[in-house]
Amino acid sequence: MPRSLTRRTFLGSAAGAGLAFGIPPSSAAEPTVVRPPAARAASAWPLSDHRDEAALLAVLRSGKWGRTSGGDSRVKEFETAFASRMQASHCVATSSGTTALLTALGALNVGPGDEVIMPPYTFVATFNAITANFALPIFADTDAASFQIDPVKVSAAITPATKRLLPVHIAGSPADLDALSTLAKTRRITLLEDACQAPLAEWRGRPVGTVGLGGCFSFQASKNLTSGEGGAILTNDETFAHLCYDFHTPGGGKKSASSGRGANYRLTEFQAAVLLAQMTRLEAQATARDDNAAYLSELLRKIPGITPAALIPGVTRSAWHLYMFHYESAKFAGLPRAKFIAALAKEGVAASSGYASLNTSAHVKALASNPHYQRLYGKDTMVRWLDRNHCPVNDRLVEAAVWFGQTKLLGSRTDMEKIASAITSIQLRAGELARS
């Protein structure tokens, strides 16, 4: 089956919003989604009503469309509200999740010669934020059960050049923040959380984003909290907050110690107004996902060959941006995953094969022959860098993963039962389907 849709168009079409991955098929991991036509209305995203409309019109009529326009600011109001909800002392809103990552790394003056450790099971934006600073991304393999970065592999990947750890809370479920925090402290390396998929997720009762120095969030169109595009950085460190603020807006304003670098990554008043309206329904939606994910997992664990992604001990809440599970074709009479996903679509259940292997993608491999990187690091170093990027566990995982988008978990318990029934029906007919 051709990989014709990006993760963004998976949640964009399967869930009405796009799963936040926008790169060419030759560039990096891209899920394929098979979606029945009837699924469009049932999985519409984003959701809006008179609150969102009124918020946008108020900004339009105010004539103050940017955070530098003066007067009352929706951006500042959102920063205060989001920081409060996530139990953080500071929030800096940005134009996207990618620019939140760029701001955080730029504020820390990450640059040539620095290594940043990241997972291979993630969207390409994490990689791009590192290479935009001409630092060297280092892949640490995946823990297959949880789909999260493996702290043991992170430890093995650390070198004297390692300056930052950048775990991703993939699918909205926290990575092992106890182990990663311990590594960061003992090795004196800054821990930044890529929490772009994880608003409201919690580690030991504490919202993600401030376990490390800071966390980056995305409000792209597919996200659980969305303004089409948008992002934010959370932190409890005032100095880091000021560095991020001054980096993201020309001329700064907090008078932090400048590194001579900066950008314009400001969120607009329109985006902030939408986010404030969206926050009024955020907790109710999150609770629905919590309940339905727990029930769906209970049902799917009863089906041989279907194993829901594990939550690492310490996770007290997932954002459930994705519902992920392992598919074992041997328990389905050898039915290939692509045919399994196609059969789900015929049963009225849209699903995706998820990420392909980012670390072996053409986009990532191209870095080794990039003339700027060869000049900075040397050709031999870049050849060895390719060898360092082997992630055998992840290579196997990408062949067995299946995703449902977050809107699937906004349905009813009956909808969860229909998903389980569809998979059971496919298993009963798997031999026939495999031969077809």
Side-chain angles (χ1 to χ4, degrees):
M1 182 178 298
R3 290 180 176 268
S4 58
L5 296 179
T6 67
R7 173 177 160 278
R8 287 188 172 186
T9 52
F10 168 47
L11 279 190
S13 53
L19 258 182
F21 298 18
I23 50 176
S26 62
S27 297
E30 292 200 337
T32 298
V33 61
V34 180
R35 178 178 54 83
R40 293 178 187 232
S43 58
W45 189 262
L47 302 177
S48 63
D49 59 23
H50 62 93
R51 289 168 288 184
D52 308 79
E53 182 177 356
L56 282 170
L57 285 173
V59 173
L60 181 70
R61 290 165 180 163
S62 74
K64 297 174 182 178
W65 295 359
R67 78 173 300 159
T68 60
S69 299
D72 294 337
S73 169
R74 268 49 168 211
V75 174
K76 290 181 181 178
E77 184 181 349
F78 168 72
E79 288 172 333
T80 299
F82 190 57
S84 175
R85 179 60 188 83
M86 297 296 289
Q87 299 176 28
S89 300
H90 306 278
C91 175
V92 176
T94 63
S95 57
S96 70
T98 299
T99 56
L101 290 166
L102 288 168
T103 297
L105 293 173
L108 292 172
N109 203 25
V110 170
D114 295 342
E115 293 181 358
V116 181
I117 296 177
M118 63 169 288
Y121 201 77
T122 187
F123 178 42
V124 71
T126 312
F127 176 88
N128 288 344
I130 298 168
T131 59
N133 290 281
F134 286 95
L136 198 60
I138 302 298
F139 291 98
D141 209 350
T142 308
D143 170 65
S146 65
F147 291 63
Q148 305 295 333
I149 195 169
D150 185 342
V152 174
K153 303 299 173 57
V154 172
S155 179
I158 294 173
T159 74
T162 305
K163 295 297 186 289
R164 315 286 178 239
L165 304 183
L166 189 57
V168 179
H169 301 316
I170 204 65
S173 297
D176 189 341
L177 287 172
D178 282 356
L180 292 167
S181 295
T182 298
L183 268 177
K185 290 173 183 176
T186 57
R187 305 297 287 272
R188 296 183 179 180
I189 302 168
T190 303
L191 173 64
L192 285 173
E193 302 170 54
D194 182 337
C196 284
Q197 299 179 8
L200 304 195
E202 296 179 358
W203 179 260
R204 301 196 184 283
R206 176 180 177 180
V208 298
T210 59
V211 177
L213 176 63
C216 299
F217 294 79
S218 171
F219 309 127
Q220 178 269 341
S222 75
K223 296 302 193 294
N224 301 16
L225 176 61
T226 181
S227 53
E229 290 289 354
I233 302 160
L234 295 180
T235 183
N236 287 331
D237 187 293
E238 184 178 52
T239 299
F240 180 58
H242 288 177
L243 285 168
C244 288
Y245 183 89
D246 285 352
F247 187 93
H248 101 297
T249 188
K254 302 297 184 182
K255 306 306 178 186
S256 62
S258 176
S259 64
R261 301 170 60 185
N264 182 348
Y265 296 144
R266 295 189 295 256
L267 190 78
T268 70
E269 291 286 289
F270 290 104
Q271 292 166 296
V274 171
L275 288 167
L276 286 165
Q278 290 285 312
M279 284 187 71
T280 63
R281 56 182 74 90
L282 182 63
E283 182 58 41
Q285 292 169 343
T287 300
R289 293 190 194 95
D290 290 340
D291 294 343
N292 282 326
Y295 187 45
L296 182 59
S297 293
E298 177 186 337
L299 297 174
L300 296 190
R301 288 191 187 102
K302 298 175 182 178
I303 303 174
I306 301 295
T307 307
L311 297 180
I312 296 169
V315 174
T316 47
R317 192 179 203 183
S318 172
W320 299 111
H321 179 59
L322 300 169
Y323 184 94
M324 306 184 298
F325 61 89
H326 296 262
Y327 170 72
E328 188 178 350
S329 65
K331 298 293 177 65
F332 284 74
L335 181 68
R337 180 180 58 171
K339 286 190 174 182
F340 169 74
I341 291 173
L344 276 175
K346 290 181 180 179
E347 296 281 342
V349 179
S352 166
S353 57
Y355 296 118
S357 184
L358 179 60
N359 56 302
T360 61
S361 68
H363 180 70
V364 168
K365 287 183 175 180
L367 195 68
S369 57
N370 183 297
H372 301 294
Y373 268 79
Q374 288 184 345
R375 186 162 57 251
L376 287 168
Y377 295 93
K379 291 183 179 181
D380 290 343
T381 297
M382 294 310 297
V383 170
R384 290 193 297 272
W385 173 75
L386 285 176
D387 292 335
R388 291 176 68 184
N389 286 341
H390 292 304
C391 296
V393 175
N394 193 71
D395 291 343
R396 294 189 294 272
L397 175 63
V398 298
E399 298 300 324
V402 179
W403 290 356
F404 297 138
Q406 54 95 355
T407 57
K408 195 75 84 218
L409 299 175
L410 295 178
S412 65
R413 284 174 69 88
T414 299
D415 292 327
M416 303 305 106
E417 292 164 359
K418 288 178 179 177
I419 292 171
S421 295
I423 295 174
T424 299
S425 173
I426 292 167
Q427 191 167 55
L428 293 172
R429 298 178 287 114
E432 176 188 345
L433 291 169
R435 293 188 295 273
S436 65

